[in-house]
Amino acid sequence: MKKILCTVFASALFISQGFADYNKEGIPDSTEVRKKLIDSWLTAPVADLQKKNPELYEDGIGTVFQVRAEEGYDSVFIIVSPRGYQNVTFVREDGEQVMQVAAYERGAPGSWVLTRNKSTGKPENIQWYFNKDASVYVQFKPVGSKTYADLIVMGMYAARSVAVGVPFNRLYTASFADIKRWTEKSLPWGNVSVVTGQYRDVLTMIQIIREKIPSIDYASDLCYNEDGKLYSIFKNKPFTLTNEEDGTEYEPEDNGRLSLSGAGFIKWIIDGIVEPVSGKGTVIGEMVQPTVDFSSTGKNGVISQEASITFALDWVRNLAAKAVSVRTGRTFTFENGGVDVNIKVFSSDVVNGKVTNNTSYIPDTGYEFKNLKALLYVLAVREPAWFYIAAVKQHSSVKYDEFVFADTAVFFPYFDDSGKFGCAVFMNGKEITMEDYLSLYNNAYIHLERVKSTEYFYPR
């Protein structure tokens, strides 16, 4: 747990100049302030930092920054952070009152953090926060006389140990525009450069699904066929009930509610895109067509002769291919429709503070589950008009050492008007938070299929 070295805010120093660097990204830039901190903070003895109170500095355009030191286990962090505000609730005798209080958050857009070794005082890295999400930042490290950069997205390395041709101490006074210019071609800024206002159709679909969810009941094997009739997927026949008196079968009456399995729920969403254009929903027989070829003598080939081990993958691939076919007026399969998400985005990740190599996309398997949130973040940046239907590859409930594609889900990633990332997650006819969803699986993989969002979304 961090110990704050500077806790008294009585000492405040305001410095103003007539010029501040223009920042086209629209985030506060502390370069003007940092030029005043070289001797007093950035290179001062660590023992001196332990005695310093936070200080406030104002740049030439009126942005106020706080400079403070915080202590870690064997490091000290010098934080230069712009002023922001957060709502705080005060309890009074006449009730509660919500007030805005100035805050200087370490991960706020525009924050700059220098980490120094507590024993030697030597710099270890600089972290530069430029995004509404504090888990997305650029980091610089000195290695000998060279400087290397990492671009980190939610614990994943979008780029790692990329050489930057400037001395490390040049970063003490550099502007964000400087580092963008120095790394323009070497860091994948396009994966993290958020442009707001592009998610109208995604948000429209989210709202419609939320309005429909209260009328959905989960049923483990059911969906609606192309004509809107309730159908058993695995029995491959219309769903019927049995009369207890004479054993005859009959179709259940329409009670205004929907009965859907997890796979049926995904089909229901895609049908809401397909049916308004084609006049019919997707055909179940086409959706269960295999998309993976196994050797007949291999383990998976033998198993698949008795039961489908790729049902969920086949289902979402074929649904996504149908969606793109209807949208374009041409016939596509998953192989030529561009629906598989197979981009290589990350080189490695961080697990318990240690950097590990990342396997990225594995054909017909997908991505490691732990990559999901970071992957959806990058997809939201790169593909702002799309959502993603998914199949999860996990240990079989029958034989643990075998993997099967069984579960499905759908993700609607987006950025709000402030540039903050969000993602609506739906599975089994319900909405679930991303955090709760990620906690459901261990040692699993997830395969994503992209589908274009649309405002012409009319699910049953």
Side-chain angles (χ1 to χ4, degrees):
M1 183 176 180
K2 295 176 184 175
K3 174 183 176 183
I4 298 179
L5 299 178
C6 311
T7 57
V8 182
F9 290 81
S11 175
L13 172 65
F14 286 89
I15 296 177
S16 178
Q17 293 183 349
F19 173 80
D21 284 350
Y22 173 70
N23 182 353
K24 67 179 181 179
E25 281 79 14
I27 64 172
D29 198 324
S30 61
T31 179
E32 181 185 335
V33 168
R34 282 181 274 113
K35 292 175 181 178
K36 302 291 182 179
L37 306 177
I38 302 298
D39 295 330
S40 57
W41 284 90
L42 306 186
T43 61
V46 171
D48 291 353
L49 296 177
Q50 295 174 340
K51 305 172 186 177
K52 294 180 73 69
N53 293 323
E55 296 176 351
L56 300 179
Y57 290 76
E58 182 177 340
D59 67 15
I61 57 173
T63 304
V64 177
F65 294 85
Q66 184 197 72
V67 184
R68 68 182 186 273
E70 292 184 358
E71 184 180 356
Y73 181 74
D74 54 11
S75 302
V76 61
F77 309 98
I78 301 168
I79 302 167
V80 184
S81 182
R83 175 183 288 171
Y85 294 91
Q86 60 184 12
N87 292 331
V88 177
T89 301
F90 294 91
V91 179
R92 304 180 183 278
E93 292 183 357
D94 55 350
E96 296 183 349
Q97 182 178 6
V98 178
M99 299 180 62
Q100 283 197 329
V101 176
Y104 303 89
E105 298 182 22
R106 172 174 174 164
S111 288
W112 182 97
V113 181
L114 169 64
T115 303
R116 295 172 59 188
N117 185 280
K118 191 187 299 184
S119 299
T120 66
K122 292 183 177 180
E124 296 178 338
N125 63 63
I126 289 173
Q127 294 177 345
W128 214 309
Y129 295 88
F130 58 89
N131 194 288
K132 283 289 184 180
D133 295 277
S135 56
V136 180
Y137 59 92
V138 62
Q139 176 175 269
F140 299 90
K141 299 174 294 186
V143 181
S145 61
K146 297 182 179 180
T147 303
Y148 293 90
D150 305 321
L151 186 60
I152 297 172
V153 180
M154 299 183 176
M156 307 292 297
Y157 280 79
R160 182 181 171 207
S161 297
V162 174
V164 181
V166 297
F168 185 78
N169 60 8
R170 176 68 181 87
L171 299 173
Y172 288 4
T173 57
S175 67
F176 189 65
D178 289 334
I179 69 165
K180 286 290 289 289
R181 184 173 65 254
W182 296 333
T183 61
E184 180 180 8
K185 296 181 179 180
S186 57
L187 292 181
W189 290 105
N191 288 342
V192 294
S193 299
V194 177
V195 178
T196 60
Q198 303 183 91
Y199 304 89
R200 183 190 65 177
D201 291 349
V202 169
L203 294 171
T204 295
M205 291 188 67
I206 292 172
Q207 184 58 35
I208 292 172
I209 293 171
R210 285 173 175 166
E211 291 172 356
K212 294 283 188 177
I213 277 178
S215 65
I216 295 176
D217 296 319
Y218 176 76
S220 61
D221 181 37
L222 299 185
C223 70
Y224 291 85
N225 70 4
E226 64 272 21
D227 297 316
K229 298 293 185 180
L230 196 58
Y231 206 88
S232 171
I233 300 172
F234 293 108
K235 292 180 181 178
N236 192 27
K237 67 175 187 177
F239 176 71
T240 58
L241 298 173
T242 302
N243 189 311
E244 294 182 357
E245 294 182 357
D246 58 14
T248 58
E249 295 184 347
Y250 64 95
E251 292 185 3
E253 294 183 3
D254 184 359
N255 61 2
R257 299 185 64 79
L258 297 168
S259 296
L260 296 170
S261 66
F265 177 66
I266 304 299
K267 183 182 187 299
W268 171 78
I269 291 174
I270 301 302
D271 283 349
I273 297 174
V274 167
E275 192 170 4
V277 179
S278 66
K280 282 184 174 291
T282 53
V283 179
I284 295 171
E286 296 175 359
M287 298 307 105
V288 296
Q289 290 301 305
T291 63
V292 182
D293 291 326
F294 295 115
S295 169
S296 59
T297 59
K299 177 182 177 181
N300 287 334
V302 173
I303 295 173
S304 63
Q305 293 175 18
E306 299 179 359
S308 174
I309 61 176
T310 61
F311 162 73
L313 178 63
D314 301 334
W315 188 261
V316 297
R317 274 178 162 172
N318 291 323
L319 283 171
K322 185 64 176 181
V324 71
S325 297
V326 170
R327 177 170 58 84
T328 60
R330 300 167 58 190
T331 300
F332 287 100
T333 67
F334 84 94
E335 293 174 298
N336 60 18
V339 297
D340 274 3
V341 175
N342 53 19
I343 58 176
K344 183 176 180 180
V345 180
F346 306 110
S347 59
S348 54
D349 57 9
V350 182
V351 179
N352 297 325
K354 296 182 179 180
V355 177
T356 62
N357 291 331
N358 188 267
T359 55
S360 192
Y361 174 78
I362 302 174
D364 297 327
T365 291
Y367 298 86
E368 292 184 71
F369 212 80
K370 60 186 178 182
N371 300 4
L372 178 60
K373 189 173 182 181
L375 176 62
L376 288 169
Y377 181 98
V378 172
L379 288 171
V381 174
R382 293 172 50 157
E383 305 175 4
W386 299 75
F387 67 98
Y388 304 89
I389 55 179
V392 178
K393 186 175 185 179
Q394 58 191 305
H395 289 286
S396 168
S397 59
V398 178
K399 292 184 177 181
Y400 187 78
D401 61 340
E402 296 173 359
F403 279 86
V404 298
F405 278 102
D407 291 350
T408 56
V410 57
F411 305 96
F412 291 86
Y414 63 91
F415 291 94
D416 65 20
D417 290 340
S418 73
K420 189 168 182 61
F421 176 70
C423 185
V425 184
F426 301 96
M427 67 177 299
N428 297 337
K430 303 295 180 184
E431 184 169 10
I432 185 173
T433 67
M434 176 62 75
E435 289 68 27
D436 286 344
Y437 183 76
L438 293 174
S439 70
L440 294 177
Y441 302 96
N442 291 315
N443 301 318
Y445 293 84
I446 189 161
H447 205 290
L448 302 181
E449 313 300 319
R450 55 172 62 85
V451 182
K452 188 74 175 292
S453 63
T454 175
E455 62 180 326
Y456 300 106
F457 176 55
Y458 301 101
R460 291 179 176 274

